[in-house]
Amino acid sequence: DTTTSSDVVVVTLVNDPPTGEIVTPIDGECVTDNPFVIEGTSNDDATVSSISLKVDDVPISVGTTNSYLDWTGTTSTLSNGNHTIEMYVIDDEGSNSSPPQLITVTVDDTATVLVLTSSNSITALNVGYSIPLSGTYALSVCRTATIEYTINGGSSTGVDYMSSGEWSNANLTSGLTESSVNTIVVTITDNDSNTSSDVVVVTLVNDPPTGEIVTPIDGECITDNPFVIEGTSNDDATVS
């Protein structure tokens, strides 16, 4: 006779859901490239079959390397402002990473531009000259910048005022060469090293000196001999 005995083992195969992460940009980032690249990673105990990537609910095509473990997607050209990126991973058994990852980015691709609104050509007297400089600038909210000026290629000096798209230097009264043509270059430089400049040419005019004989007067009859001649002089520079 054959005697048998049995027991039962129940094996439950669990498909852990896949995981994934948007690596760049990060949540809250300010982006100046437009369009821009989204990069991420994924992982699964089975096989990742696809990545669902959307910007403002609009699907984005995803390119992959090493079976979706690393992936990239490029946005279309977006309007400046806030945008929501959504991503989740799908494996070959139909599971997905839930809930989807959501991040928000700010896009602002405004070019860095400086505009001079005061005159580009100024003529002033050597003495008492006062050169006002002013203008506007455009700058992405994602960037910071400084505005500086140079005189005749010298060292840079920051302007007096820069705020809310306007800049000015109230009265430039030193550093210019008398009786000469002076070149002032005003430049905005942002933290990504983008620059924009404008030029002011200042001509300082040396008016000729003046003078007068006070005594004696023209036609006067003089009894002193020798006699004293007195007078005055004036100049916007220096009488030599």
Side-chain angles (χ1 to χ4, degrees), residues 90-106:
I90 304 168
D91 69 15
D92 61 352
E93 296 182 2
S95 296
N96 61 64
S97 55
S98 181
Q101 182 184 6
L102 296 174
I103 69 170
T104 299
V105 298
T106 301

Side-chain angles (χ1 to χ4, degrees), residues 11 42 57 60 69 75 77 82 96 114 131 137 145 153 156 167 173 237:
V11 177
S42 65
D57 293 325
I60 300 296
L69 296 181
T75 69
T77 301
N82 294 332
N96 61 64
L114 178 137
I131 310 300
Y137 65 92
S156 297
W167 65 270
T173 58

Side-chain angles (χ1 to χ4, degrees), residues 13-197:
L13 296 179
V14 178
N15 179 25
D16 285 344
T19 59
E21 179 185 14
I22 298 171
V23 176
T24 59
I26 62 174
D27 188 33
E29 185 172 341
C30 202
V31 180
T32 56
D33 292 332
N34 191 14
F36 61 91
V37 176
I38 304 168
E39 298 180 341
T41 61
S42 65
N43 190 45
D44 190 39
D45 55 6
T47 301
V48 174
S49 62
S50 64
I51 305 293
S52 174
L53 183 64
K54 297 179 180 179
V55 176
D56 300 331
D57 293 325
V58 178
I60 300 296
S61 176
V62 174
T64 66
T65 58
N66 52 42
S67 300
Y68 287 98
L69 296 181
D70 299 292
W71 53 266
T72 61
T74 302
T75 69
S76 59
T77 301
L78 303 173
S79 61
N80 285 343
N82 294 332
H83 297 275
T84 300
I85 302 173
E86 174 189 280
M87 185 279 301
Y88 61 88
V89 183
I90 304 168
D91 69 15
D92 61 352
E93 296 182 2
S95 296
N96 61 64
S97 55
S98 181
Q101 182 184 6
L102 296 174
I103 69 170
T104 299
V105 298
T106 301
V107 176
D108 191 342
D109 60 358
T110 302
T112 300
V113 176
L114 178 137
V115 176
L116 181 76
T117 55
S118 53
S119 177
N120 286 94
S121 180
I122 299 172
T123 300
L125 295 179
N126 281 350
V127 174
Y129 60 83
S130 179
I131 310 300
L133 303 175
S134 62
T136 60
Y137 65 92
L139 183 69
S140 167
V141 297
C142 304
R143 295 186 172 116
T144 58
T146 57
I147 297 178
E148 298 177 315
Y149 65 88
T150 61
I151 302 174
N152 298 326
S155 59
S156 297
T157 303
V159 297
D160 295 337
Y161 173 81
M162 175 186 175
S163 181
S164 303
E166 297 183 349
W167 65 270
S168 63
N169 203 80
N171 292 299
L172 180 63
T173 58
S174 63
L176 301 177
T177 303
E178 294 186 350
S179 304
S180 179
V181 176
N182 297 265
T183 301
I184 303 173
V185 180
V186 186
T187 303
I188 184 171
T189 305
D190 68 29
N191 58 321
D192 288 328
S193 299
N194 300 303
T195 63
S196 175
S197 301

